Amino acid sequence: MREHLATKDEESLAARLQEIGFSCTRCGECCRQGAGDDNLVMVSPAEIRRISSLCQVRPEEYVEPYPERVKFSDGTEITFGWAIRRVAGDCTFYRDGSCQVYAERPWICRTYPFMLDGEDLLTFPCPGLGSPIGKEEARALARDLRSRQAAEEEEGEKIRQAISALRPVDEGCLVVDGEGVTRV
Ligand code: SF4
């Protein structure tokens, strides 16, 4: 569901989240294989560094280039950023019914089933929707949503700059993220 927000301030957003209601049921639906790509989790270089350092896990163990690629007319293939690897369709961090990096989980997981897109609040299907949420929890979620939006906008702008400086390559794929270009 998409709805336009009259104001973007944190208090109004928190109040709207309270009206909608949400409490995570720990069902794991957003971590496990679904009907489409709904459990694909994009991660920025900053998030990769945080997860790796605080959870003692090397990036190559859990990160891969974002699966959708774009091919330019000169043959250069690029993709935008990184995603958490999935094993048999499930997030590689989802084991024994829980997230192995829960305290450091990426923004997407931290704010699911909500997302801010410009002035709009997006709400995705989730069994936890409609459950009561306390004022402080709603405020914390509103803060996380605003921080996620700011981080995504900053990353998007840096990616646009990196794309404008791209040089063609004959083979392989270029992963463009907010910190530059990696050939894979
Ligand atoms: S990182 Fe954790 S919360 Fe996010 S999809 Fe994977 S298991 Fe679920």
Side-chain angles (χ1 to χ4, degrees), residues 2 4 15 40 46 49 57 59 92 101 103 112 124 131 136 149 174:
R2 175 185 285 270
H4 190 70
L40 184 61
R49 267 195 300 278
V57 53
T92 192
V101 296
Y112 194 85
F124 300 95
S131 301
E136 284 314 311
Q149 185 178 35
L174 302 177

Side-chain angles (χ1 to χ4, degrees), residues 13-22 131-136 138-139:
L13 178 55
R16 181 66 192 121
L17 294 172
Q18 264 202 301
E19 278 169 16
I20 296 171
F22 170 69
S131 301
I133 177 172
K135 199 166 202 165
E136 284 314 311
R139 282 185 175 140

Side-chain angles (χ1 to χ4, degrees), residues 111-141:
T111 54
Y112 194 85
F114 302 104
M115 178 187 172
L116 290 174
D117 179 19
E119 307 285 316
D120 293 350
L121 173 66
L122 274 56
T123 306
F124 300 95
C126 172
L129 284 171
S131 301
I133 177 172
K135 199 166 202 165
E136 284 314 311
E137 222 183 321
R139 282 185 175 140
L141 184 52

Side-chain angles (χ1 to χ4, degrees), residues 30-31 39 41 84 91 93-94 98-101 105-106 109:
C30 52
C31 312
N39 69 340
V41 176
I84 295 187
C91 175
F93 287 132
Y94 188 73
S98 65
C99 173
Q100 303 300 301
V101 296
R105 66 199 185 287
C109 311

